[in-house]
Amino acid sequence: AMNASYPMTGRQLKEAVIPGTMTLCQEIGRAIKRANREKTDPIRAVLDITGGFRLFKGKVIDVRRATVKGFARGEAVIEGVGPDAGQTCRVQFQNEHLVAMTEQGVLASAPDLITLLDAESGEPITTEGLRYGFRVEVLGIPCDKRWRTPKGLELVGPQYFGYDFPYVPVEVRNREA
């Protein structure tokens, strides 16, 4: 956690938070550290804990950022390597990663979590830290079911951010993966 905002009562807190989020973050960090120490795949360790999906692997070949209405908006362009060679993935963000897509279509979108990890170490790469030349794996992690409700999608679904496509859960979009 980088900051604390929005003071509230205990009752409000119970209604507003997703229980276990901080514990999950700690488990992910420990799994990455353990995998690196034991020389196993840190990406696989993250996927095992989160139930997520490998969406794309490649090298960042472009990052564009602009401040729009107080938000860091932009796009990272990733050139595929290995099984993704010959393809390009675009990850669009507004402070957080919102959409990952290739020429074939959308791989994942908010409110599911799209995260970029260093392809070797498994360390997370934030939108602010993303740079040309980074070797990354793009993961899609299913969000909490509350974000998938009509009210949740109204707050953080693709249409809220101006995208003209419906939300489809990452596990549905990546069934064949």
Side-chain angles (χ1 to χ4, degrees), residues 6-17:
Y6 314 109
M8 59 183 78
T9 66
R11 182 182 314 234
Q12 290 170 318
L13 184 71
K14 287 178 183 175
E15 292 175 4
V17 302

Side-chain angles (χ1 to χ4, degrees), residues 57-75:
K57 182 174 184 173
K59 175 186 171 184
V60 177
I61 60 170
D62 193 18
V63 180
R64 290 181 225 114
R65 291 183 184 85
T67 302
V68 179
K69 297 182 182 177
F71 293 102
R73 291 205 68 145
E75 177 179 79

Side-chain angles (χ1 to χ4, degrees), residues 6-49:
Y6 314 109
M8 59 183 78
T9 66
R11 182 182 314 234
Q12 290 170 318
L13 184 71
K14 287 178 183 175
E15 292 175 4
V17 302
I18 307 292
T21 301
M22 295 303 291
T23 302
L24 178 59
C25 290
Q26 290 173 323
E27 290 174 7
I28 292 168
R30 285 186 198 112
I32 292 169
K33 187 175 181 178
R34 183 174 43 253
N36 282 314
R37 185 177 60 243
E38 297 173 0
K39 308 233 184 300
T40 60
D41 182 2
I43 310 296
R44 178 81 261 150
V46 171
L47 294 173
D48 288 345
I49 288 173

Side-chain angles (χ1 to χ4, degrees), residues 152-164:
L153 291 172
E154 184 181 321
L155 291 172
V156 293
Q159 287 80 27
Y160 176 81
F161 296 102
Y163 294 101
D164 189 25

